Structure formats: C-alpha cells, structure tokens
Amino acid sequence: MKNVDAKNHVSGKSIYLDDIPVRQGTLHALLYDAPVAHAIITHIDYSEAEALEGVVRIITHQDIPGENQIGGIFPDEPLLAENDIHFWGMPIALIIAESEYIARQARALVKIEYKELPVITDPREARKQDSLIFPPRTFKIGNPENTWENCEYVFEGEADSNGQEHLYIETQGAYAYPTEHGSIRISSSTQGPTAVQKTAARVLGVDMNRIEVDVTRLGGGFGGKEDQATAWGVLCALAAQILQKPIKYSVHRMDDMRITGKRHPYRSDYKIGLDKNLKIIAYEATFHQNAGAAADLSPAVMERTLFHATNAYFVPNVQVTAYSCKTHLPPNTAFRGFGGPQGMFVIESAIAHAANELGIPARDIQAANLLKDGDEFPYGQIVDYCNAGSTWTDAISTYNIKTIQKEVDNFNINNNHLKKGIAVMPVCFGISFTNTPMNHARALVHVYQDGSVGVSTGGVEMGQGLNTKMVQVAAHIFNIHTNRIKLETTNTTRVANTSPSAASATADLNGKALEIACEKILERLIYVAAKQMNCAEEAISIREEKVCVNGQPTELAWEKLIQTAFLSRVSLSEKGHYATPNIHFDKQKEKGHPFAYHVYGTAITTVTVDCLRGLYEVDSVKLVHDFGKSMNTAIDDGQVEGGLVQGIGWMTMEEIIYNKKGRLLSNALSTYKIPDIYSVPGEITIKPLATEGHPLAIRKSKAVGEPPLMYGIGTYFAIQNAVKAFNPNYILKFDAPFTPEKVLMGLYEGREVLAKVKAEEEKA
Ligand code: MTE
Ligand code: LUZ
Ligand code: MOS
C-alpha cells in the first residue's frame, strides 16, 4: 500500500504547523536567548524593546503562574532563565509582537549585563571536575579483570563520536490559543503530545484537563521533538494564557540550531581482549556522554549506550561504565538510535584496532563473535529469535564478499591516487523503551453509520509512515478497503497519557492497541451478523466487505451490517489498550529482560577515496535486514535508506563545532554539511531476511525506524580501510566524523608517503 499522505506531500497540500490558518488577532512569539554560555545575569533592560511599536509584551520567568520547570526526567531545567545562564541560547524571555519581523527587531534592542563564569564543553573535562548530571552506571557480566591475563591479545584506545543536528525539515514550533473555562488548545510539532500537555499544565499552574494538545504530523522529528518540542508548546501556551490571545511561534532555522540540543557527542575508552581463535573474551569501556547543561533525556540515552555496548556480539566478560557529563552546551537529546550508535561505534573501533594490529580483516573478528540463541546479553536478557548470524551469512554469501574484496584489491593495485575500502557492519538493536513503564499505548476507533471508520491513536506521524501502517491494521482486522479508513490527528483529548512516538516502537504499541479496539467492535458485528443470518457466530466472517457464512459470501455487505448494528443499538466505538508483555528491568541489579525483541542486520559498504583531495564516495551499501514479515515494504525500505544515509552523515560529514566559549559555530547550512543527493551511496541494495517475524511485532512486521541508522557506521571503517591502503603509515584514529579534512591528514601523515607523492608528481 502506498503512503496515505504521498499525494498531498508531493502536491504541497499536507498540513504542517506553519500551514494552520491562524485566528484573527494572532500574535507572534520570539525567544530572547542567552548570548553567552555560562554567566550570572546582573541586569537586563527590556525598556527599548518594549517601547518598539507593535511589541505587545515581554514575558519573563517572573510572569510564570505555575512552576518554571520543564525537566522531563529530572526537574533541572527552567523554561526561562532566572539568574543563571547555563548554555549559549538558553531561553531568557519571550517577546510577543504583532509580527515576527517586529519581534526580531525588538530582540536586538534587549540589553543584558552579566558576569561570565568558566565554560566546560568537553565531557572528559566535566568528569574531571565532577560535573555530572547523575551518578555513573555500570553493566557487568562475567569478570573481565580476571580475564585479561588469559587473553592472547589485548588492545586499548579511545573512540570519540560527535553530535548530530536533527535538521528536521520542519523546525520546532507551536500554535496556542485560549478556549473556554481557562483552557488552552495547543497545536504542536511534537513527538510527545502528552509531554507538552503535562509540562504546560505544570508551568501554567492548571490541571492537565485544561490543556489540549493536537498534532497533525511533523516534517520530521528524528528524536529532536521527543522532548525538546515541549518548550515551544509551553511558551505559546504561557503567552496565550497571560494575554488571552492566539500565539504562534514557528522557529527560524538558525535559532533552532542554536537553541536546541542534538545527538550526544561521546568520548570513550575501550579495552578489548581476544583469545587465539579471535573470540572476544573480555571487553571494557568507559563512556563520557556530553549531556549539555540539563538532563533532558540523557539518562535514558546513556542507558541505551550501555544496552548496545556489545552490538551484535556475544562477549562473556564485559564491564561497561557510562558517565553523563554536565557541560555548558544546550541539553543534548534523543536522536535516532538514542545512544545505541555511540556505544556501537566504540566496540567497532576496538575491533578495527585489533584487526589492524593482527593484520587481518575486521570481519574475521566480527564473524567469530556474533550472537546466537541462548547467549546472554550483559544486561541479563537471553538471546532468542537471533538473526545476527543469519543476516551476516546471507549478506556475505548473497553479495559475495570474496568477489567484492578481490575487486577492491585489484582496483587498489591498479590505482595510485584512488583507493577503495570495504567494511562489514552487523547491527543488533533492542525494541522497547528501556524504561519499562513507558511501553503501553491506546487507540480509539469509531465506525460511522455509513461504514466508514475513524481511527485515533497516541502515535505521531513524522514521516515514518505510521498512519499508513495504522490504516493497514484496521483494514486487515475488519477486512474492508483501506479507503474507508481515516486516521485522525493525534489529540490528547481522544487518546490520553501517551508515551512519545519514539524508540521505533510506535507502530508496535499503537498498532497492537488498535488491533484490540477493532477486534472488540468486530466481535459485536459478528454477533449482529449471526443473528441476522440465523446461524452460529463461529460460522461468520467478514471478507472483502461481505459477511460470509462458513466462508461463503452472503448478500449482507459491510455497510448494511453497520446500519443493522446501529439500529440494534450496538456500540460502534471502542478503545484498545496494549502493554508489552514479559518485559522488566531491575535498575539495582542492572539485569532483566528490557526488550520485546531485537532487530538484526548486516551491511557491506565499499567506498572510494580520492587520495589527492581527501574526498570520498560511498560506492555501495549492500545489506540484509531483518524486517520480520514487513507489512509495507515501500515504507520499510524508505526507513532503511533514510536511516542509512543519516548514519553516513553522522559518521562522515556532519561536524558540530562549539568554540571554547560554548558558542555554536556550525550554526547554519552553510557551515554544517548534511548528506545531499550526491552523498547517497551509488548503490543501495536491501535484501529482506526471510523469516517468520516476531509475535510481539505488529502483524509480525518488526520495528524499523532506528536500526538502519547504524549501518552508516560501516562507512567510517570502509574509509579508514581505504586510507590505510594508500598510507601504510596511517595510525588508526577513531574520531567521527571522518571529514574530508581528517581523511586528507590521514592520507599524508608519516613523511615517506608525502615524499612518494612528491616524487611521483615530479615524474609526471
Ligand atoms: N522517519 C522519518 N521520515 N522522519 C522521522 O522523523 N524518526 C525516526 C524514525 N524514522 C523519523 C523517521 C525515529 S528517531 C524514530 S524513533 C522512529 O522513526 C519513530 O517512528 P516509529 O516508532 O513509528 O518507527
Ligand atoms: N526514548 C526513550 C527512546 O524514552 N526511551 C528509549 O528507550 C528510547 N529508545 C530509542 C529512542 N527513543
Ligand atoms: Mo527516536 S530517537 O526514538 O525519536
């Protein structure tokens, strides 16, 4: 089935936040944010800004009727700064004006005085100064300390990965207006409508039932709107409450980039021990997560780093520790993969390091250590339905790794200034919120008198194709045409107390709730049909919009059945509630069974490096992915392609730079490079692994949103492989992204190579 929104998207009819027609008298909001990363405010003068014609009001923390607090996990983040500034871009005041243009002029007239304080931007430095968001956590299995002496080989090193800007095409924003009885209605570009509702209630000092949050769809979220959409919704609601006027805030790209948090940069240490058969028998890692100035989702992100620290490998002795380091950057947040990619990059670095020292391809080590059924993850879950080995073997044989390697070797022998590299990247990603209590969802279904169906769930459409999958689920249960079904907006008054659309689990959680709701209605319809047809309920089924008795279609069509049910006073509405069974986790012991299931896959990446310029191209990514039994291959393939390219961007070109004073330098698309059509691999081949799927996945179609991002990690190691082919003196570094600058430095470090190139140039 095609994406239900495809036509409207390409014809520009789809409605995003900025497309909502505004009400008469709508005012525009704009933040005044901190022009320094760490300081005490001594004086702010708003008088000139306030005097500007068209400025209606400047709202500060003093105007907040409830709590000045938006922290989700810990209450450590004010909505508007009081006396202290903790990051460059920290919201201080909200300017309300008749137009955005006027608000922008007013912003330039605000005068601030402050006393600057020392700035920390580096997580290792933060740890040294004991600046942590919360105490460190350790996952442990076996006993690495006693294993090192039994290892044939032990390697130690550092691996760093940088942050990543979400760059959703639609920036953050919200539109709020007052309704009756002290209530506010907020349209928000959020992955977490309930988070917006709950936080708005807290800040405004009203009950949650006074706040209605509605979401049509997002122009991308990628985790950046799981928690950080909240502030904008709350700011608009606050101004709407104070002024009793509609308030709109659609955030300018550069403001969005400056003010919001990003993927967490990590700086990590690893130690890996292998026996003589290349079995990894011990692994230790210490992760320093750059959390920024407040907790935001950092505790949960850090947790997932620990969960995925050993990626798709079984290691009997593991000790991994993570520190959430408090720095003076904007609070970093969820980003596709949610700490998992950062953890995986470190063990892949350790393996690359070991392979390089041993003079063997990394894939020899990878292949020797893949997970199998019955193995135990360091967090206690026992591996089942394991597809680490099957996706690996399938990829290696389908794409014929020996042939690919031979082509690469031949190319490298015959080319001096172009070199190819190759890497294999296995992925294992756990599906469920690692915080068990978040794994539940609800849906609400109305069958209308004419047989059409309206569906509401707690899930948010952000481009991942959720609504299409939900239509498919309802159409399947009722066995009616998909064009009879309409997905409603996501609204807190229809489906309440929702978890954010995140963790790749939205279709599973909301889809299962929707199945339950539809099944309950179907049961009643079958009762009505049986009475009508004068037969047993067991004999009744609905097939292609017709009531069947013992499998034989009758004259009773869907529409007629619905009318009959309605006239018999049978309820045609129902809600469904689903909570993932069998999951649990004990944070004291750091053991449990946190994931409903895991998603597996293996990608083979080849690249070509231009050894004169340091530029590179990804020739191909050929992968085998464990979709389970995909319910929509067009959508799922799109998720694999998008995730992969986003992962390649993170690993190779997207370079976030803050200066020592904590100012974002890569603050626009002219200074921050994201993948474009030219960065996409020349070939992407996706082969679905042939499996039966998993019973806890919606219609056995596994979650697909995040796992493919991690295939992008292979690109780093493929480039490294090519650099090494050109420059044998290159010393492996693990410092993503591998930008063209770093590639160039790597190609020419060590004098001999430079001399060789010069000699060749002279000869030419
Ligand atoms: N795909 C598109 N087009 N836009 C997005 O914002 N977000 C990703 C992924 N794919 C995203 C996307 C992230 S971070 C997650 S967690 C999942 O989609 C969320 O949707 P799901 O739970 O339905 O997979
Ligand atoms: N969000 C969250 C997530 O709150 N918990 C998670 O485990 C998670 N995982 C991936 C993405 N977002
Ligand atoms: Mo995705 S990082 O769970 O929003």
Side-chain angles (χ1 to χ4, degrees):
M1 184 192 176
K2 281 186 184 155
N3 190 310
V4 291
D5 286 328
K7 259 194 184 159
N8 280 352
H9 280 355
V10 296
S11 58
K13 287 182 190 144
S14 294
I15 292 171
Y16 297 87
L17 195 104
D18 204 23
D19 301 313
I20 298 173
V22 295
R23 303 184 152 216
Q24 200 168 29
T26 291
L27 299 173
H28 296 263
L30 184 74
L31 273 179
Y32 171 70
D33 58 295
V36 60
H38 192 198
I40 295 171
I41 301 172
T42 51
H43 186 69
I44 306 188
D45 181 2
Y46 296 111
S47 56
E48 262 187 71
E50 268 167 341
L52 190 71
E53 168 133 11
V55 172
V56 176
R57 175 89 184 244
I58 297 185
I59 292 168
T60 71
H61 71 93
Q62 286 167 327
D63 300 308
I64 292 173
E67 261 183 275
N68 182 20
Q69 185 50 249
I70 59 166
I73 297 181
F74 298 140
D76 68 346
E77 193 180 350
L79 176 69
L80 295 170
E82 298 185 3
N83 303 313
D84 312 326
I85 291 170
H86 294 285
F87 64 92
W88 202 300
M90 183 171 176
I92 295 176
L94 191 69
I95 301 164
I96 306 295
E98 282 164 12
S99 74
E100 195 193 323
Y101 178 75
I102 295 170
R104 225 158 255 292
Q105 286 181 309
R107 179 158 80 176
L109 299 174
V110 177
K111 297 201 171 58
I112 186 167
E113 289 164 28
Y114 48 79
K115 193 170 143 262
E116 279 190 68
L117 295 168
V119 171
I120 307 175
T121 57
D122 179 76
R124 287 185 192 271
E125 182 57 34
R127 185 186 161 194
K128 238 187 255 161
Q129 297 191 23
D130 241 350
S131 168
L132 298 179
I133 298 277
F134 61 98
R137 286 174 66 181
T138 299
F139 283 15
K140 187 173 177 183
I141 188 170
N143 194 338
E145 295 110 277
N146 299 343
T147 312
W148 299 118
E149 57 196 39
N150 305 332
C151 293
E152 188 77 14
Y153 315 107
V154 176
F155 304 102
E156 286 180 72
E158 290 182 19
D160 297 346
S161 58
N162 203 335
Q164 186 174 22
E165 166 62 46
H166 300 87
L167 232 107
Y168 20 66
I169 294 176
E170 178 192 37
T171 54
Q172 302 274 5
Y175 180 53
Y177 55 84
T179 58
E180 287 185 327
H181 302 299
S183 302
I184 308 275
R185 189 177 193 277
I186 309 171
S187 294
S188 169
S189 178
T190 181
Q191 292 172 240
T194 293
V196 176
Q197 180 195 20
K198 195 172 157 187
T199 313
R202 183 184 193 178
V203 172
L204 271 55
V206 302
D207 291 339
M208 278 173 78
N209 65 5
R210 301 289 141 159
I211 307 286
E212 173 184 351
V213 179
D214 190 86
V215 185
T216 303
R217 67 168 61 73
L218 317 189
F222 305 110
K225 296 171 184 170
E226 182 174 337
D227 213 56
Q228 297 215 354
T230 298
W232 316 96
V234 174
L235 286 167
C236 289
L238 175 66
Q241 188 196 41
I242 291 171
L243 296 166
Q244 288 297 305
K245 290 266 189 187
I247 307 288
K248 177 171 171 170
Y249 196 167
S250 176
V251 182
H252 187 282
R253 176 69 66 189
M254 285 179 79
D255 288 1
D256 188 310
M257 290 180 83
R258 180 178 68 253
I259 296 170
T260 65
K262 310 173 193 316
R263 183 189 291 286
H264 295 77
Y266 273 59
R267 302 196 61 187
S268 311
D269 303 307
Y270 62 80
K271 184 173 177 185
I272 192 168
L274 297 91
D275 70 10
K276 55 180 184 302
N277 302 319
L278 302 181
K279 287 270 180 215
I280 305 170
I281 53 174
Y283 180 63
E284 273 181 15
T286 307
F287 303 103
H288 301 96
Q289 176 199 54
N290 192 337
D296 193 273
L297 290 165
S298 297
V301 171
M302 189 187 93
E303 185 171 73
R304 200 175 266 278
T305 302
L306 294 172
F307 281 115
H308 295 318
T310 49
N311 190 12
Y313 310 109
F314 173 65
V315 185
N317 302 287
V318 176
Q319 180 160 339
V320 285
T321 300
Y323 292 84
S324 183
C325 304
K326 188 170 174 170
T327 62
H328 299 103
L329 302 186
N332 286 314
T333 194
F335 197 131
R336 208 171 193 170
F338 205 74
Q342 291 95 321
M344 292 182 195
F345 178 68
V346 178
I347 193 161
E348 293 303 326
S349 296
I351 290 171
H353 180 171
N356 184 57
E357 295 287 333
L358 300 176
I360 55 171
R363 62 177 180 273
D364 290 357
I365 299 176
Q366 293 171 313
N369 292 282
L370 294 170
L371 288 162
K372 295 184 299 301
D373 277 346
D375 286 342
E376 186 177 345
F377 286 104
Y379 47 90
Q381 185 157 343
I382 303 300
V383 178
D384 60 359
Y385 293 87
C386 184
N387 288 324
S390 45
T391 57
W392 179 280
T393 315
D394 198 347
I396 294 293
S397 61
T398 303
Y399 303 121
N400 205 335
I401 191 96
K402 280 195 185 135
T403 311
I404 300 177
Q405 183 70 62
K406 212 172 271 162
E407 283 165 10
V408 166
D409 292 343
N410 283 341
F411 182 92
N412 287 349
I413 289 167
N414 294 319
N415 286 277
N416 281 335
H417 295 140
L418 291 175
K419 295 290 178 191
K420 284 190 188 290
I422 177 171
V424 187
M425 180 66 198
V427 169
C428 166
F429 195 79
I431 302 302
S432 288
F433 288 97
T434 58
N435 182 28
T436 303
M438 291 171 77
N439 294 286
H440 60 112
R442 278 152 300 282
L444 176 67
V445 178
H446 299 309
V447 180
Y448 294 96
Q449 292 172 52
D450 63 354
S452 64
V453 179
V455 169
S456 297
T457 76
V460 169
E461 172 63 55
M462 61 186 108
Q464 87 279 42
L466 177 75
N467 285 357
T468 307
K469 287 188 173 180
M470 295 303 101
V471 166
Q472 287 183 277
V473 168
H476 176 77
I477 303 278
F478 289 137
N479 214 323
I480 57 177
H481 295 145
T482 51
N483 58 15
R484 279 197 195 271
I485 298 160
K486 176 173 176 253
L487 252 287
E488 303 295 349
T489 62
T490 313
N491 186 297
T492 52
T493 66
R494 264 180 274 116
V495 178
N497 304 322
T498 59
S499 289
S501 286
S504 305
T506 316
D508 279 0
L509 295 173
N510 292 277
K512 294 252 179 187
L514 176 56
E515 277 185 340
I516 290 166
C518 293
E519 271 160 7
K520 285 199 236 170
I521 295 175
L522 183 65
E523 211 173 286
R524 295 200 286 263
L525 293 176
I526 284 179
Y527 170 82
V528 170
K531 249 173 94 181
Q532 185 81 2
M533 305 308 299
N534 234 330
C535 67
E537 282 174 50
E538 296 74 57
I540 300 283
S541 60
I542 298 173
R543 290 191 200 161
E544 291 176 24
E545 308 219 330
K546 285 237 157 53
V547 170
C548 299
V549 176
N550 295 321
Q552 292 308 309
T554 67
E555 287 302 294
L556 186 55
W558 170 260
E559 273 175 54
K560 184 80 188 132
L561 172 65
I562 297 304
Q563 279 160 19
T564 309
F566 179 70
L567 293 174
S568 319
R569 298 185 293 169
V570 167
S571 168
L572 296 174
S573 296
E574 196 52 80
K575 67 175 171 39
H577 166 84
Y578 175 75
T580 313
N582 307 333
I583 51 170
H584 55 89
F585 194 71
D586 180 338
K587 283 192 185 177
Q588 252 60 55
K589 299 201 179 90
E590 303 285 27
K591 297 281 177 193
H593 186 104
F595 297 119
Y597 58 86
H598 291 79
V599 170
Y600 297 88
T602 299
I604 302 174
T605 302
T606 51
V607 301
T608 306
V609 173
D610 173 339
C611 301
L612 292 178
R613 297 175 182 83
L615 303 177
Y616 42 76
E617 275 175 17
V618 182
D619 302 332
S620 68
V621 178
K622 301 175 182 183
L623 59 93
V624 174
H625 185 82
D626 167 22
F627 292 99
K629 262 182 119 53
S630 173
M631 66 187 287
N632 192 316
T633 51
I635 283 174
D636 287 355
D637 283 354
Q639 286 293 296
V640 172
E641 291 170 355
L644 166 69
V645 173
Q646 205 164 29
I648 291 174
W650 173 53
M651 278 285 110
T652 66
M653 67 189 80
E654 297 185 43
E655 194 170 33
I656 290 181
I657 299 182
Y658 290 94
N659 71 9
K660 288 238 152 41
K661 299 194 101 186
R663 180 181 184 176
L664 182 69
L665 302 181
S666 49
N667 65 349
L669 282 163
S670 55
T671 46
Y672 184 75
K673 177 83 185 98
I674 61 154
D676 57 23
I677 192 68
Y678 301 105
S679 337
V680 171
E683 177 192 344
I684 299 177
T685 305
I686 301 166
K687 181 182 176 195
L689 181 76
T691 72
E692 278 310 300
H694 196 283
L696 293 181
I698 181 69
R699 304 206 56 217
K700 301 200 167 177
S701 181
K702 282 188 169 186
V704 66
E706 293 168 287
L709 182 131
M710 284 150 274
Y711 294 137
I713 295 174
T715 316
Y716 189 96
F717 297 99
I719 293 174
Q720 192 167 56
N721 191 239
V723 170
K724 191 80 192 175
F726 180 77
N727 179 7
N729 293 342
Y730 167 68
I731 295 163
L732 266 57
K733 286 166 214 44
F734 307 105
D735 180 19
F738 216 156
T739 57
E741 288 89 337
K742 287 185 198 162
V743 170
L744 197 63
M745 306 282 263
L747 289 166
Y748 293 97
E749 70 182 25
R751 282 206 200 94
E752 281 170 46
V753 180
L754 255 182
K756 192 177 128 203
V757 171
K758 275 192 185 145
E760 270 174 22
E761 272 171 2
E762 269 162 31
K763 228 168 63 192

